[in-house]
Amino acid sequence: MEHEHDPKHPEQSVDTTRRRLAKAGLAAPAVLGVLASLPVLGAPPYECTISGIISGNLSRPQGTPIKCGTLGNSPGYWKNTTNEWPSVNRNALFNSVFADAYCYKIKNKNTTELAAAGACPTGYSPNPTLLQVLQAAGGMSEPPYPALGRAAVASYLNAIKFAPNYPLTPERVVAMFNAVYQGGTYNVAPGVDWDADQVKAYFESLYNG
């Protein structure tokens, strides 16, 4: 797994997560410190789940300190290590898993450019593969948010690979992406809705890189 773990300086990767989630407005500062306790066998650490994040859980059971960012692998990892994909074909079409969000254009061997599906610009083709979405350039300036797509594919693979100890199921990853990729919101709790930036920030908080 592609994890950045320095037991001598755990605050470094924690600070990265703190800044990312605080900027997106996901959680109270108290939740964003070093997370304590190993997950119960067969369950993710509560503090890394959506419920734990939005509740401001202050409990820190005794145990080996863990960080949410060690729970999964990054888009870059999955892009470069397709032989380790968990029972998912890298050539599966993105819209066979998620919504029909993207058109694509191959920029070079390892990079694609994405545009919104439905009105593909000249030179773009419909239906990129999961791998082509991982290879996409671009950020979060406007829908359909290529960076969100990369984070969603990585989170989907993580949810399959690391079940049941991952805080998201594959189905929830799909639902979250589908709700926000066109600029909508995803309801995570009564009165709490996340937009695309917040969903992406949460996906990214569960892996390093």
Side-chain angles (χ1 to χ4, degrees):
M1 290 175 57
E2 184 186 57
H3 292 151
E4 297 174 0
H5 177 64
D6 182 353
K8 295 182 180 179
H9 302 286
E11 70 280 359
Q12 292 177 352
S13 58
V14 173
D15 285 345
T16 300
T17 300
R18 180 184 294 113
R19 288 193 299 270
R20 180 183 297 150
L21 297 184
K23 182 178 180 181
L26 264 66
V31 182
L32 304 177
V34 176
L35 302 178
S37 81
L38 288 172
V40 175
L41 184 63
Y46 175 74
E47 297 92 332
C48 301
T49 64
I50 292 175
S51 296
I53 290 291
I54 64 177
S55 72
N57 188 319
L58 302 180
S59 64
R60 294 187 180 183
Q62 295 297 314
T64 304
I66 63 168
K67 297 182 288 292
C68 296
T70 65
L71 298 178
N73 290 325
S74 70
Y77 177 90
W78 291 120
K79 178 178 70 174
N80 296 317
T81 322
T82 56
N83 61 306
E84 293 191 15
W85 282 34
S87 67
V88 177
N89 187 334
R90 67 178 185 175
N91 293 316
L93 297 180
F94 183 85
N95 69 2
S96 71
V97 177
F98 298 92
D100 187 13
Y102 298 119
C103 297
Y104 74 101
K105 178 174 68 175
I106 296 176
K107 188 173 181 180
N108 58 50
K109 181 179 179 181
N110 298 310
T111 307
T112 58
E113 294 181 353
L114 299 180
C120 298
T122 301
Y124 284 72
S125 301
N127 303 332
T129 66
L130 293 172
L131 179 59
Q132 286 169 331
V133 171
L134 283 178
Q135 294 172 332
M140 293 289 288
S141 60
E142 60 183 23
Y145 311 119
L148 173 67
R150 295 192 301 270
V153 173
S155 298
Y156 180 77
L157 295 173
N158 287 335
I160 297 172
K161 176 76 171 181
F162 302 114
N165 295 316
Y166 200 68
L168 292 169
T169 63
E171 294 78 13
R172 192 157 200 187
V173 172
V174 171
M176 293 173 76
F177 173 88
N178 289 354
V180 302
Y181 78 95
Q182 291 181 312
T185 59
Y186 179 80
N187 181 252
V188 294
V192 181
D193 298 289
W194 287 355
D195 61 17
D197 284 313
Q198 291 170 307
V199 168
K200 172 178 167 287
Y202 179 63
F203 285 165
E204 290 179 337
S205 75
L206 303 179
Y207 58 76
N208 286 319

